[in-house]
Amino acid sequence: MHEAYDISPLLTVTVQIETIAAYDGNLLLGTRQGHLLMYSLSTNNGNPGKYGIQLLRYCKNFSKKPIQQIDVIPEKNLLLCLSDYVLSTYDINGVNFPLIETFPQTKGASLFALDNKSTTSMTGESNSVVRLCVVVRRKLQLYYGKNGQFKQHLFDFSIPDVPKVLAWGQEYLCVGFKAEYTFYDLSSGKPKELFPTGSSKALEPTIARYSDTSFLLGRDQTSVLVEETQDLEIKKTIRWSEPPISVVWDEPFVLGLLQDQVVVQTVEPSLFIQTIPELNKARLMYRCKRGLTFVSSVGQVWCLSSVDITKQRQQLLKDKQFQIAIDLTKLSECSQEEKEQSIRSIQKLFALELFDTKDYSQSMKEFLKLNIDPAEVIELFPDLDSRPGAELSKNKKLKGKDLENALKALIEYLLALRANIGKNTAQASGSQQGTGSQRNVTQQLELIDTTLLKCYLQTNDAFVASLLRLNNCRLEEAEKTLLQHSKFSELIILYQTKGQHTKALQLLREQAKQPDSSLKGYSRTKNYMQNLGAEHINLIFKFSDWILKEHPEEGLKIFTEDKVEVENLPRAKVLDFLLREHDALVVPYLEHVIHTWNDTNSLFHDALIRMYREKLNNKKGTITEEELQHTKTKLLTFLEKSVHYTPERVILHFPNDSLFEERAIIYGKLGRHEQALAIYVQILGDVERAVRYCENITENSNCKNQDVYVMLMKILVNPEQSNALSGPLDKVPRNPKTSVPDLETALSILEKYGDKISPLKALSVLPDDVPLTRLKNFLECALDGQLTHKRRTQVLKGLLYAEHMQVQELKQFHESKSVIINDYNVCPVCKKRFGNQSAFVRYPNGDIVHYSCKLEK
């Protein structure tokens, strides 16, 4: 049994003790005979639990009537005494306690309650606030004390019965009647009924003040802890073996005076502590201060003194009563630093005890409050502790349901701890933080997340992936753990967050061939490389090879997917890689770069033309006729529409014996229209295509190349004299359809496109024997065109002349205005006069300022 108090018989008197009070080691006894005795207590150094007592004053004539109740206000040296049903105050330091004041309005009083609080002002001065309540028959009189004087409030509280006990709260008075307890609101006087005092009418009510806002109220064989709130709140119930005569709260213990004994208990946790027997006919109990309580019978007084806190703490720790040990340590007289150290040590023992008793959740909550190194908590789990020598730990390994519950509690602890670290780091971000502190935070996060990883793998592996993405786990330890559990998908995430891309891609390549692997196939590898970015281009080339060989179309998406990382890859390097290793994919890659990404780099445009050309040249036995025609169509379309390739470079590699239509388009890009038209007419024999070529040129060139029709007519009229195909195309066979002069076609072109053809140049290429009747329409159209041009020019000339005359008139108007400046003119900006050499500016409103002031303005 834990001994919280030592009992010491103090004195035996011949008079009948009616009431007791104590303060500062002084004991006051009020007797039925009206005597007042004052004793001084002294400690016995040789026996700490024993006290010596000395009579200081004995006033036999203090009162002619029994002394009903006494109490003391030490700061004011005041003794309050209720005798003969009247309250009076006395000087406690004077000989025979001289009377100070009697309160005649308290005539008929039966009880009073004193509330004496010490406060400290802003200047550091200590002040006491005294409140007094006196029960006068069925009224409650309220007083407040100031400078040793009591002032009565303007109103009293009317009550239904005469109270037996009374205690002050913060906003309420707690009153115990014979049959029930009631709270009275100090501001309004309104009552709030609580509950009956008990089932027996013989029971007397008891009230012990637990705090400023809570009370222990007796009910049958219990004391009920009631909180002073808007709604009645019963927080705890303490049970006794019999209804107590009196109850006091001596933190952290509740002392209940029972028949011939005092029983000591605690409220939180609710525990029996000690029984102090052989208190014969004890009926009064008064708490002097923490750890010192007096018990009295009619003729005898005992002293209950607290056992040394250090000694109590040792016993409590043996009994594993950690909360009581902590409460007592807080009340000890050692330094604040020593208190904190002792409390921290007890809390740690408490947390370990909770763990040993399998209350894992509460244990982790206690560890979290302590804010200790998480490594010390992880030590409790030998399987999770990876430090050297962890296998030799004295902590036993948990199994089965215990292990599962412990791991869940540990997970909650680690998550809460990480959240606290995050908050503290955020708060410290505004201030300068040392690299050592930051390193410590990083190490703690590594330990927390690595341990969480191990916990999740044993409890709920669905959380593993999200944990790894936080990138706090220790690489080697996490890698080993994931491999042990065959968590290859999660291992890829670990490698990715740690930048171990080579390891990740090697593992992906290995697992791609495993039929039962979650990484089977090429998709994960492809997606992984798509997110690497340009800085890892060589790694992408190295590990994309196997996908490009086995799944070329899907593999090409590594370089063409619609992702920022993919789009920002160095395209020239990708092209070079594909040309060296996978030339079959060059064309689809270039088509994607040009047509989807709209890349205008001539390198890619030239390369695509070259790839089309080579595909058409190497056609024997390699591609079908349908594929050949499709490629040719794409080449023709690209040559016509693209404006970003380099025609002078491209033409050098085109063959002289084929791809004539393609060559004609390139000639057109180079402005070599006569050669292009000669190919259409003399080699391909396609006059209609040549005419469409001329139409495109005149429409897209803003009439700067209107001679193309003349060039076409020249080739049609004199095919043998045309030297446009000299050079590399000189030996190419001519089309027999267009190898003879075709005057009719030339004249048809002249008639249809006469408005786009120069008359003089057209006539110069026609034979002299052409009938004028065939040229009638052309010449009329040409003359109309010239007349129209002349009229347009004349109108434009007239408009320009009119505009010229308007400008001249405006000039003359402004030149006609004059400005007179004399010695009295002042610049409105600088307030200075204009000198003879001053340059000035005149504004439209007539203001004149210096030129330099105009610049500043």
Side-chain angles (χ1 to χ4, degrees):
M1 183 186 295
H2 165 228
E3 290 190 1
Y5 293 90
D6 287 326
I7 182 70
S8 174
L10 278 184
L11 58 91
T12 302
V13 293
T14 57
V15 290
Q16 294 176 304
I17 301 172
E18 192 71 23
T19 181
I20 61 174
Y23 73 97
D24 298 338
N26 296 308
L27 175 64
L28 293 161
L29 303 180
T31 70
R32 189 171 299 172
Q33 292 81 7
H35 302 176
L36 184 63
L37 294 81
M38 183 174 181
Y39 294 89
S40 174
L41 272 70
S42 59
T43 57
N44 187 339
N45 294 330
N47 193 344
K50 303 299 180 181
Y51 284 86
I53 191 165
Q54 180 181 359
L55 180 63
L56 292 180
R57 262 169 278 173
Y58 186 178
C59 184
K60 291 185 178 181
N61 299 320
F62 184 78
S63 175
K64 295 180 180 180
K65 298 289 185 178
I67 300 175
Q68 299 166 256
Q69 185 182 353
I70 55 175
D71 212 335
V72 180
I73 305 176
E75 298 83 1
K76 304 301 179 183
N77 298 317
L78 282 180
L79 169 66
L80 278 73
C81 176
L82 179 61
S83 178
D84 197 18
Y85 304 103
V86 176
L87 182 68
S88 302
T89 58
Y90 300 84
D91 183 356
I92 203 168
N93 288 336
V95 178
N96 293 329
F97 308 102
L99 175 67
I100 296 177
E101 183 180 5
T102 298
F103 299 90
Q105 64 271 32
T106 63
K107 182 67 176 176
S110 58
L111 179 69
F112 71 87
L114 188 65
D115 180 39
N116 186 10
K117 292 182 182 178
S118 294
T119 61
T120 303
S121 65
M122 296 180 65
T123 59
E125 296 180 359
S126 179
N127 298 315
S128 63
V129 178
V130 181
R131 296 186 296 176
L132 175 66
C133 178
V134 183
V135 177
V136 182
R137 298 182 181 87
R138 294 186 178 183
K139 286 186 179 292
L140 298 179
Q141 295 180 357
L142 304 182
Y143 299 82
Y144 66 92
K146 188 175 182 181
N147 300 323
Q149 301 291 322
F150 284 97
K151 303 293 183 180
Q152 187 176 1
H153 280 274
L154 297 177
F155 59 89
D156 299 336
F157 293 170
S158 296
I159 51 179
D161 197 2
V162 178
K164 296 294 183 179
V165 286
L166 184 69
W168 281 92
Q170 186 167 299
E171 298 179 1
Y172 292 88
L173 271 171
C174 184
V175 179
F177 298 105
K178 180 68 176 176
E180 64 177 356
Y181 295 99
T182 303
F183 275 165
Y184 283 91
D185 192 320
L186 289 171
S187 60
S188 64
K190 292 182 179 180
K192 182 187 294 185
E193 296 179 358
L194 302 180
F195 47 79
T197 57
S199 57
S200 174
K201 294 183 178 181
L203 293 177
E204 292 289 332
T206 61
I207 298 177
R209 187 172 176 181
Y210 185 79
S211 70
D212 287 344
T213 59
S214 56
F215 308 90
L216 286 165
L217 309 181
R219 181 169 65 179
D220 291 328
Q221 294 179 208
T222 63
S223 288
V224 180
L225 180 59
V226 179
E227 184 73 23
E228 182 185 279
T229 57
Q230 191 168 2
D231 298 319
L232 175 64
E233 183 179 357
I234 298 176
K235 303 189 70 175
K236 201 78 175 178
T237 299
I238 300 170
R239 300 192 176 278
W240 309 97
S241 60
E242 60 183 76
I245 301 169
S246 177
V247 176
V248 299
W249 166 247
D250 187 27
E251 189 178 4
F253 303 114
V254 179
L255 283 67
L257 178 59
L258 278 60
Q259 191 69 35
D260 297 337
Q261 62 180 359
V262 170
V263 176
V264 182
Q265 299 192 65
T266 57
V267 176
E268 188 62 47
S270 183
L271 294 173
F272 167 77
I273 300 297
Q274 182 184 6
T275 297
I276 303 172
E278 299 180 2
L279 302 177
N280 188 29
K281 296 183 180 180
R283 52 188 287 271
L284 300 174
M285 189 162 54
Y286 187 94
R287 177 182 178 272
C288 176
K289 60 181 180 180
R290 161 73 195 104
L292 183 61
T293 301
F294 296 98
V295 180
S296 167
S297 65
V298 174
Q300 192 172 0
V301 180
W302 297 268
C303 174
L304 301 183
S305 58
S306 175
V307 174
D308 181 66
I309 288 180
T310 303
K311 182 178 178 181
Q312 286 193 68
R313 186 166 58 219
Q314 292 173 353
Q315 183 61 44
L316 287 167
L317 293 179
K318 288 181 182 179
D319 297 339
K320 298 183 179 180
Q321 299 298 335
F322 302 101
Q323 188 57 53
I324 304 174
I326 290 171
D327 293 340
L328 280 174
T329 303
K330 291 178 181 177
L331 298 170
S332 65
E333 296 180 355
C334 58
S335 66
Q336 186 63 29
E337 184 179 352
E338 290 175 330
K339 284 184 184 180
E340 291 176 358
Q341 187 175 355
S342 297
I343 291 172
R344 185 176 178 81
S345 175
I346 296 169
Q347 286 175 325
K348 185 175 179 181
L349 291 173
F350 180 39
L352 291 171
E353 174 62 19
L354 289 170
F355 190 88
D356 290 340
T357 56
K358 301 182 181 182
D359 191 353
Y360 303 114
S361 180
Q362 191 59 40
S363 171
M364 293 302 152
K365 290 178 182 178
E366 292 299 323
F367 279 126
L368 189 63
K369 292 178 187 176
L370 284 169
N371 195 28
I372 65 173
D373 187 348
E376 296 184 38
V377 180
I378 297 169
E379 283 180 2
L380 299 172
F381 300 81
D383 290 338
L384 302 180
D385 193 357
S386 61
R387 294 181 301 173
E391 62 277 3
L392 304 177
S393 172
K394 296 180 182 180
N395 296 307
K396 64 179 181 179
K397 294 186 178 181
L398 302 172
K399 297 179 181 179
K401 195 67 176 178
D402 287 343
L403 177 60
E404 182 182 349
N405 293 336
L407 288 175
K408 289 180 179 178
L410 178 62
I411 289 171
E412 292 180 4
Y413 162 76
L414 293 173
L415 290 175
L417 183 61
R418 188 173 63 187
N420 290 343
I421 291 174
K423 289 179 184 178
N424 295 336
T425 304
Q427 291 173 357
S429 61
S431 59
Q432 293 183 353
Q433 192 176 21
T435 55
S437 176
Q438 185 62 40
R439 191 183 303 114
N440 185 46
V441 169
T442 303
Q443 291 172 351
Q444 281 201 354
L445 288 175
E446 286 180 352
L447 175 62
I448 290 169
D449 281 12
T450 305
T451 307
L452 274 172
L453 172 64
K454 297 175 182 178
C455 294
Y456 285 150
L457 287 171
Q458 297 184 60
T459 56
N460 189 348
D461 57 7
F463 296 110
V464 171
S466 58
L467 174 68
L468 291 171
R469 290 189 180 95
L470 296 174
N471 196 21
N472 292 323
C473 293
R474 295 170 180 165
L475 175 61
E476 297 79 6
E477 198 172 337
E479 180 183 29
K480 179 181 176 182
T481 304
L482 290 169
L483 284 172
Q484 287 174 349
H485 290 80
S486 299
K487 294 293 183 182
F488 299 113
S489 294
E490 290 77 6
L491 186 55
I492 295 300
I493 298 174
L494 174 69
Y495 286 147
Q496 188 173 22
T497 56
K498 294 296 182 181
Q500 300 294 312
H501 303 302
T502 302
K503 282 187 174 183
L505 291 169
Q506 285 174 343
L507 179 62
L508 285 167
R509 185 167 60 186
E510 294 169 3
Q511 292 296 312
K513 306 296 183 182
Q514 302 299 322
D516 58 344
S517 174
S518 61
L519 302 177
K520 178 185 176 183
Y522 60 85
S523 296
R524 285 292 298 271
T525 306
K526 179 189 71 174
N527 294 336
Y528 191 98
M529 285 189 282
Q530 286 174 342
N531 294 311
L532 283 178
E535 62 270 23
H536 301 290
I537 188 64
N538 293 328
L539 200 62
I540 295 173
F541 291 157
K542 179 179 177 181
F543 286 96
S544 64
D545 191 67
W546 71 272
I547 303 180
L548 292 169
K549 288 178 179 177
E550 298 178 16
H551 310 278
E553 290 187 9
E554 290 298 319
L556 185 60
K557 290 182 180 179
I558 296 171
F559 306 105
T560 60
E561 194 66 68
D562 187 18
K563 289 185 176 181
V564 174
E565 294 83 1
V566 174
E567 195 169 344
N568 290 333
L569 291 175
R571 297 170 188 175
K573 288 186 177 182
V574 174
L575 176 61
D576 182 61
F577 167 70
L578 294 175
L579 285 168
R580 284 186 286 106
E581 306 293 339
H582 305 277
D583 59 341
L585 299 174
V586 173
V587 170
Y589 175 72
L590 287 172
E591 288 177 342
H592 185 87
V593 168
I594 293 170
H595 301 315
T596 303
W597 289 341
N598 300 317
D599 197 314
T600 60
N601 191 330
S602 61
L603 171 68
F604 305 119
H605 289 252
D606 292 352
L608 182 57
I609 293 172
R610 180 168 68 87
M611 295 306 297
Y612 284 150
R613 174 177 54 78
E614 290 179 356
K615 193 172 183 180
L616 292 172
N617 285 341
N618 300 330
K619 59 188 177 183
K620 292 184 179 180
T622 58
I623 60 175
T624 65
E625 186 64 30
E626 185 179 353
E627 291 176 325
L628 180 66
Q629 189 60 41
H630 182 62
T631 302
K632 185 176 180 63
T633 302
K634 289 198 292 184
L635 176 58
L636 288 170
T637 304
F638 186 71
L639 287 171
E640 286 182 348
K641 292 186 176 181
S642 175
V643 295
H644 301 295
Y645 64 87
T646 314
E648 58 268 21
R649 186 183 303 144
V650 169
I651 195 67
L652 297 175
H653 303 285
F654 264 73
N656 297 324
D657 57 351
S658 62
L659 303 179
F660 299 114
E661 189 173 0
E662 291 79 359
R663 178 180 282 272
I665 295 172
I666 299 172
Y667 278 152
K669 295 285 185 177
L670 290 170
R672 294 158 65 174
H673 304 298
E674 188 173 0
Q675 288 175 292
L677 291 170
I679 290 174
Y680 286 127
V681 175
Q682 294 180 298
I683 296 178
L684 299 176
D686 191 349
V687 178
E688 291 184 4
R689 181 69 183 84
V691 173
R692 289 201 304 273
Y693 177 87
C694 293
E695 291 175 350
N696 291 335
I697 293 299
T698 54
E699 288 176 4
N700 299 328
S701 302
N702 298 322
C703 299
K704 292 180 181 179
N705 294 287
Q706 59 180 341
D707 294 342
V708 290
Y709 288 104
V710 177
M711 295 176 189
L712 177 57
M713 291 170 59
K714 181 179 178 182
I715 295 171
L716 290 171
V717 173
N718 299 306
E720 295 179 357
Q721 296 180 6
S722 174
N723 58 357
L725 297 179
S726 60
L729 301 178
D730 191 38
K731 297 180 180 181
V732 177
R734 303 308 191 252
N735 191 295
K737 292 192 302 181
T738 56
S739 60
V740 295
D742 189 358
L743 180 62
E744 285 301 320
T745 302
L747 291 174
S748 298
I749 293 171
L750 188 65
E751 291 175 352
K752 186 175 181 179
Y753 301 101
D755 58 332
K756 296 181 175 66
I757 300 174
S758 169
L760 294 177
K761 290 181 180 180
L763 293 173
S764 67
V765 301
L766 291 175
D768 295 338
D769 56 353
V770 176
L772 287 174
T773 55
R774 292 298 308 273
L775 300 176
K776 178 184 176 183
N777 292 336
F778 167 69
L779 293 174
E780 288 177 351
C781 179
L783 288 172
D784 288 342
Q786 291 296 322
L787 290 172
T788 301
H789 178 68
K790 179 181 178 181
R791 284 194 294 270
R792 185 182 294 113
T793 304
Q794 289 174 340
V795 170
L796 181 61
K797 177 183 176 183
L799 291 172
L800 290 173
Y801 181 75
E803 184 180 9
H804 171 72
M805 295 305 295
Q806 289 177 351
V807 172
Q808 289 294 323
E809 184 179 353
L810 185 63
K811 177 186 174 186
Q812 292 175 2
F813 170 75
H814 287 295
E815 287 178 344
S816 64
K817 293 186 177 182
S818 62
V819 176
I820 299 175
I821 298 177
N822 53 39
D823 293 339
Y824 300 103
N825 291 103
V826 177
C827 174
V829 177
C830 66
K831 310 302 181 184
K832 295 181 180 178
R833 300 181 187 278
F834 293 97
N836 293 331
Q837 304 299 324
S838 296
F840 60 88
V841 174
R842 179 184 180 276
Y843 285 104
N845 62 359
D847 289 345
I848 300 172
V849 299
H850 289 104
Y851 182 76
S852 58
C853 294
K854 179 257 182 186
L855 295 178
E856 293 176 1
K857 186 176 180 182

